[in-house]
Amino acid sequence: MEDNKCVHCGADCGKNPVEWNGMKFCCNGCKTVYQLLNEKKLFKYYDIQPMPGIRTEQNEFESKYAYLDREDIQDKIFEFREGAMAKVKFYIPVIHCASCIWLIENLHTLHAGVQSSRVNFIKKEVSITIHTQEISLRQLVELLASIHYTPEVSLQSLETETSDQSDKKLLFKLGVAGFAFGNVMLYSLPEYFNGGVPVEDGLGSFLGVLSYIMTFPVVFYSGQDYLIAAYKNVQKKVITIDLPIALGIIALFLVTSYKVLSGTSGGYSDSLTGLIFFLTLGKYYQSLTYNALSFERDYKSYFPVAVTKWFNGVESSVLLSEILASDVLLIRNKELIPADCVLSEGMALIDYSFVTGESKPVKKEIGEFIYAGGRQTGGAIKVKVEKAVEQSHLTKLWNEDESHKHPKASLSKIVDKVSHYFTIVVLIIALGGAAFWWWHDSIEEAIFIFSAVLIVACPCALAMSIPFTFGNTMRLFGNAGLYLKNVEVIERLHQVDTIVFDKTGTLTHPNVDDIRFVGTSLTEHEKAMVLAMTIPSTHPLSQALAQYYQPHERIEAEQFVEMSGRGSYGMVQQHSLRIGSLSFVDSNHEHKASTSTFSEVHLVIDEMYKGYWEIHNKYREGFEQIIGKLQKNFDLYVLSGDNEAEKSFLEQHFDPTHLMFNQSPQSKRDFIAQLQNKGKVVLMTGDGLNDAGALMQADVALTVADDVYHFSPAGDAILEAKNFSKLYDFKIFTNTSLNIVKVSFTISFMYNVIGIGVALSGWLSPVVAAILMPVSSVSVVAFATFVTRFLGRKLND
């Protein structure tokens, strides 16, 4: 038989297919999309999944999206717009498979104006960065619509944040199902008290019809979510847990309809209404339970990012949640702008790569607007906050960072595959059980068995074990001072076998009480100039000097440039200053490197070498104990940009061949890449800003932060410096979390085996199955949550 399926979407082409190059299409829309993909050589779209397209009728856009050319509308839709760069997020409900993701994330091949696009498959959202001089917002939407991924743009949602009505709708559905179930049970009492013997014909038929009428709002309103979801997914050739539930509901409804309309009996109205009532009640109870047990995904309660507030000439470190509109913030070099604001003092060069991926700095003048998420790349500036800080905005940017790092073997992928095949297996078992009981008993008993098996089986507990176990692990870690980017970091941290430490700012921190300047004595004015150059810097040694000279006169640097891992240079009141390593400030100056346990920071003013500071380092509390524990299970390395002054001390705790000094940021990154090429899974710990390259290369990037937390998008996790001694405990607890997930899997598997077995034996009615299904999910989630919290108590000790 000749294949009559559409090449693009797989639908039947009918009697008059649209043909092109010998291929058949169900409509001109599918043909247009195929031609476009063929022209751009995007053949991989069909390699990932055969016939993955969405069928829609061909549209002539004309002026349909003309309103998107209006500036006021664009201001509401764009999440970010600076110069010719803009970022927008769309909800596209037809995203349904890997091919959809691949095509949308390759929009740049369809139009050069698209800089990047990234899909959130769970939410069916796509974040797109565009160059507005090459493609307008209207043209972007038309481009998406032309390949039949039409975004939903709701102007109403742009005006106000609509509250979530899902819980209220669920309550209405629960109320309808409960009312109908109660009445049907009342109508069934005469038969129940008559020992199951039918009551007299007139009354029995009347009560049966009343009960049957009650099933209509229950099935088609309270149970519509299951029916609609199953129908839509079958249309897309996707099998989910909604399918067996919908089949069970339909089977009971059809049998009841047949019995009532034929006058045979009152049918199974009580079982049908009871089934949907308990399913809805279970769903509502689940939502309440999950909300109570769930973790704070936007980190508002404990995310550690702090900023420097400037008030009446005094600096103070405050949490983001404490920032209000009109507050003045001091932003140093490489620090992120935490809120939409206006530049009030200084020269701003804003790098928006964290938001758009475009790293070219944008110059801002006094009074100009700056978006949250930009990074200052020059000297210190002061900004006035325009809008209250939305901490979730920064964490959303952190989560959307483009550095894709995935575990070698992700549990989530395994669960997705198991859940997919689980439903198919359950359908086969239910059909087999129904056939057996039909052969050996009756069609009524077969329908009961069929419905009970479909409803009692549930992979939901399996799917929810990971997010709730890992989610609560994230919460525990956060309360204990380790803040993770997402749950995938837990799996990657579990797989780590090699740990690389930066020295300064990670293993050690500068001792402000033990700083000495060696060289030509500095005047008070020169000390003030040094203060002006060290305040904007984020390097731990510069921060130590800034704190050391804090009492001196405050003046501003007219120019400031910092070279990661080397030093900084700039202009202060017409004087040039260079502060950093000797090779950076004056490569011609002869100086014998010290062998003592201190770091050296050299100073040149107006091309004249002045001397250097001896800054003694203190090793973090618990250093010896934590290194001793880690050595037993991991390969440990130290990569330092400093000289070998502390080599003899570190050799007592590390393999001497694993100590490397005078390392540049690039050499650190290259070394980690070499370890990864040998099959190692590497955890890199650094100060976040000066080790950004090495952190981005590592499998897990851990930033160790002191009092003021510099938010670094290169990091997968931020560890409060005071909790450095808990690093081993955090690593070991990831093993515990994986074990909890495995036990939860086992519980879920045993429940399904026992539940399906009892249902097949005929001892389980569909109503009882409807009660057990949500109970099983809640019990597994509760187990994962409470066991994780119980075992994680010692992290806060």
Side-chain angles (χ1 to χ4, degrees):
M1 183 176 178
E2 186 180 355
D3 188 3
N4 199 41
K5 288 184 177 180
C6 175
V7 173
H8 176 68
C9 72
D12 189 346
C13 293
K15 295 181 179 179
N16 300 299
V18 178
E19 295 190 14
W20 180 76
N21 276 4
M23 292 172 285
K24 295 181 179 179
F25 301 89
C26 60
C27 63
N28 285 315
C30 286
K31 185 192 76 170
T32 302
V33 176
Y34 187 92
Q35 288 174 327
L36 179 61
L37 297 178
N38 185 71
E39 177 187 345
K40 298 295 183 178
K41 299 183 179 180
L42 298 177
F43 307 117
K44 192 175 180 181
Y45 177 74
Y46 297 98
D47 294 338
I48 297 173
Q49 183 169 320
M51 294 175 292
I54 301 298
R55 179 183 180 180
T56 57
E57 295 305 318
Q58 188 175 18
N59 290 311
E60 294 297 334
F61 302 121
E62 296 179 357
S63 60
K64 180 178 179 180
Y65 298 111
Y67 68 94
L68 294 176
D69 288 330
R70 289 175 47 180
E71 285 291 325
D72 57 332
I73 299 296
Q74 292 178 10
D75 289 339
K76 294 173 182 177
I77 294 179
F78 281 131
E79 287 188 332
F80 166 89
R81 181 162 57 171
E82 182 65 47
M85 299 298 296
K87 188 171 184 177
V88 64
K89 177 176 287 184
F90 290 127
Y91 171 63
I92 303 179
V94 298
I95 297 174
H96 72 288
C97 69
S99 290
C100 297
I101 297 173
W102 181 85
L103 178 58
I104 295 175
E105 292 192 345
N106 280 274
L107 282 179
H108 61 276
T109 62
L110 300 180
H111 198 295
V114 178
Q115 301 296 305
S116 66
S117 50
R118 187 173 182 187
V119 174
N120 182 326
F121 182 70
I122 301 298
K123 295 183 177 180
K124 302 196 182 303
E125 292 177 342
V126 55
S127 295
I128 305 174
T129 302
I130 63 172
H131 197 288
T132 54
Q133 291 182 349
E134 297 183 33
I135 183 171
S136 67
L137 178 62
R138 174 182 177 180
Q139 290 171 330
L140 175 64
V141 172
E142 290 178 346
L143 172 65
L144 288 166
S146 70
I147 56 174
H148 301 309
Y149 291 98
T150 306
E152 289 192 1
V153 183
S154 171
L155 292 181
Q156 182 181 2
S157 65
L158 299 176
E159 298 295 335
T160 57
E161 274 305 314
T162 55
S163 59
D164 186 6
Q165 299 293 321
S166 57
D167 285 344
K168 187 178 293 186
K169 289 181 179 178
L170 191 58
L171 273 176
F172 285 146
K173 292 176 181 178
L174 179 61
V176 170
F179 174 80
F181 177 53
N183 279 277
V184 170
M185 293 299 291
L186 183 64
Y187 300 153
S188 301
L189 284 178
E191 185 173 340
Y192 293 157
F193 285 111
N194 203 32
V197 178
V199 294
E200 57 186 67
D201 290 340
L203 179 60
S205 298
F206 177 70
L207 294 177
V209 171
L210 282 180
S211 298
Y212 177 61
I213 292 172
M214 285 288 181
T215 64
F216 278 85
V218 177
V219 171
F220 298 107
Y221 176 66
S222 299
Q224 67 175 332
D225 290 342
Y226 297 106
L227 301 176
I228 293 173
Y231 174 71
K232 287 185 176 180
N233 286 319
V234 168
Q235 272 191 318
K236 298 174 182 176
K237 300 180 182 178
V238 176
I239 297 178
T240 65
I241 189 59
D242 293 315
L243 180 60
I245 295 174
L247 289 176
I249 293 172
I250 292 171
L252 284 176
F253 180 73
L254 291 178
V255 171
T256 301
S257 299
Y258 170 75
K259 287 185 170 291
V260 170
L261 296 177
S262 65
T264 307
S265 69
Y268 304 114
S269 299
D270 51 352
S271 296
L272 180 57
T273 53
L275 164 65
I276 297 176
F277 170 70
F278 285 114
L279 282 174
T280 310
L281 179 63
K283 182 186 289 187
Y284 181 68
Y285 175 63
Q286 279 179 304
S287 67
L288 293 180
T289 306
Y290 301 157
N291 287 337
L293 298 178
S294 66
F295 51 97
E296 191 90 37
R297 284 302 290 123
D298 61 4
Y299 309 90
K300 285 183 180 178
S301 61
Y302 55 80
F303 196 66
V305 178
V307 292
T308 304
K309 183 177 177 180
W310 182 270
F311 183 71
N312 290 336
V314 179
E315 296 178 16
S316 60
S317 182
V318 296
L319 293 176
L320 289 182
S321 56
E322 299 170 354
I323 297 299
L324 302 174
S326 77
D327 282 348
V328 176
L329 306 179
L330 177 66
I331 308 296
R332 296 181 175 86
N333 180 48
K334 295 186 180 179
E335 289 186 343
L336 288 182
I337 310 295
D340 291 341
C341 57
V342 170
L343 180 64
S344 59
E345 185 177 322
M347 185 178 73
L349 286 172
I350 307 299
D351 175 3
Y352 281 117
S353 59
F354 191 26
V355 183
T356 66
E358 176 61 50
S359 59
K360 185 179 180 180
V362 178
K363 187 176 180 180
K364 292 290 182 179
E365 303 292 342
I366 302 296
E368 287 193 337
F369 187 82
I370 303 175
Y371 282 95
R375 185 196 294 277
Q376 166 64 354
T377 58
I381 60 173
K382 293 188 181 75
V383 296
K384 184 178 180 181
V385 177
E386 287 287 294
K387 299 178 182 177
V389 173
E390 289 188 26
Q391 195 161 326
S392 58
H393 177 62
L394 282 184
T395 56
K396 180 178 72 174
L397 291 172
W398 194 27
N399 284 320
E400 290 179 354
D401 180 31
E402 295 296 326
S403 55
H404 302 294
K405 302 177 182 178
H406 300 291
K408 288 185 176 179
S410 173
L411 276 174
S412 299
K413 293 179 181 178
I414 296 173
V415 171
D416 290 342
K417 288 184 178 180
V418 170
S419 299
H420 175 74
Y421 292 109
F422 177 92
T423 305
I424 298 175
V425 171
V426 168
L427 285 171
I428 294 172
I429 292 174
L431 289 170
F436 174 84
W437 282 97
W438 191 357
W439 179 264
H440 289 87
D441 197 304
S442 64
I443 181 63
E444 289 85 355
E445 188 67 19
I447 292 294
F448 254 60
I449 299 298
F450 179 74
S451 301
V453 171
L454 291 178
I455 291 162
V456 76
C458 180
C460 302
L462 186 72
M464 290 184 292
S465 298
I466 292 177
F468 276 88
T469 302
F470 286 179
N472 281 281
T473 297
M474 288 179 67
R475 167 183 271 182
L476 287 170
F477 281 7
N479 291 336
L482 175 64
Y483 308 93
L484 303 184
K485 181 175 183 177
N486 51 46
V487 293
E488 278 193 354
V489 178
I490 297 175
E491 284 194 72
R492 297 205 307 270
L493 194 56
H494 166 72
Q495 296 170 352
V496 163
D497 54 25
T498 303
I499 302 177
V500 177
F501 294 98
D502 175 51
K503 184 176 72 70
T504 306
T506 304
L507 295 178
T508 67
H509 60 104
N511 185 356
V512 180
D513 298 324
D514 195 358
I515 296 178
R516 184 171 70 95
F517 185 76
V518 179
T520 307
S521 296
L522 300 178
T523 65
E524 292 300 308
H525 182 63
E526 288 173 334
K527 292 177 181 179
M529 290 194 295
V530 169
L531 178 61
M533 285 293 294
T534 53
I535 283 179
S537 174
T538 53
H539 195 281
L541 296 178
S542 294
Q543 287 296 293
L545 288 174
Q547 191 174 347
Y548 181 68
Y549 287 117
Q550 193 67 43
H552 288 80
E553 177 190 1
R554 289 295 299 268
I555 54 180
E556 299 295 331
E558 293 110 34
Q559 181 184 359
F560 176 86
V561 178
E562 186 168 25
M563 309 292 287
S564 293
R566 300 183 63 196
S568 57
Y569 65 91
M571 297 291 294
V572 182
Q573 294 188 342
Q574 306 303 313
H575 295 280
S576 65
L577 282 83
R578 299 176 76 90
I579 300 176
S581 65
L582 181 61
S583 61
F584 175 72
V585 301
D586 188 355
S587 58
N588 296 320
H589 184 81
E590 293 185 4
H591 172 73
K592 184 179 179 180
S594 173
T595 57
S596 302
T597 57
F598 57 76
S599 297
E600 294 180 354
V601 179
H602 297 261
L603 171 66
V604 168
I605 300 179
D606 292 330
E607 304 305 321
M608 181 178 295
Y609 182 80
K610 288 289 187 178
Y612 62 93
W613 290 273
E614 293 179 350
I615 304 178
H616 290 259
N617 295 313
K618 291 193 296 186
Y619 281 87
R620 296 199 183 276
E621 185 177 348
F623 164 76
E624 295 184 359
Q625 292 83 353
I626 187 65
I627 296 301
K629 289 180 180 179
L630 291 171
Q631 272 185 334
K632 298 176 182 178
N633 301 298
F634 307 97
D635 292 332
L636 304 183
Y637 293 84
V638 174
L639 299 180
S640 176
D642 288 347
N643 56 43
E644 299 183 0
E646 299 188 44
K647 182 177 181 180
S648 58
F649 174 79
L650 291 172
E651 284 179 341
Q652 301 173 29
H653 304 281
F654 294 88
D655 182 340
T657 62
H658 289 186
L659 300 175
M660 298 169 204
F661 299 92
N662 300 307
Q663 298 291 305
S664 68
Q666 184 60 44
S667 61
K668 291 181 182 181
R669 181 170 189 163
D670 293 342
F671 180 76
I672 290 176
Q674 291 172 13
L675 291 176
Q676 292 171 326
N677 291 336
K678 296 176 182 178
K680 300 291 186 180
V681 181
V682 182
L683 164 67
M684 170 69 190
T685 66
D687 65 10
L689 296 172
N690 298 287
D691 300 309
L695 289 168
M696 291 181 70
Q697 180 65 44
D699 297 286
V700 179
L702 176 67
T703 300
V704 179
D706 282 291
D707 297 331
V708 178
Y709 304 113
H710 303 294
F711 186 77
S712 172
D716 296 307
I718 301 174
L719 174 64
E720 290 180 348
K722 64 182 180 181
N723 294 304
F724 179 75
S725 59
K726 295 181 181 179
L727 180 59
Y728 179 79
D729 295 331
F730 288 130
K731 173 64 178 74
I732 295 303
F733 195 77
T734 61
N735 303 343
T736 303
S737 296
L738 266 292
N739 290 331
I740 292 172
V741 170
K742 292 174 184 177
V743 173
S744 300
F745 284 0
T746 303
I747 294 173
S748 177
F749 178 76
M750 293 303 297
Y751 158 79
N752 280 287
V753 170
I754 295 172
I756 292 174
V758 174
L760 286 172
S761 68
W763 289 91
L764 191 66
S765 73
V767 176
V768 177
I771 297 173
L772 290 177
M773 188 186 75
V775 169
S776 71
S777 299
V778 170
S779 61
V780 169
V781 167
F783 167 80
T785 301
F786 291 121
V787 171
T788 305
R789 292 182 183 179
F790 177 78
L791 296 179
R793 291 178 302 169
K794 66 177 183 179
L795 292 174
N796 291 306
D797 294 341

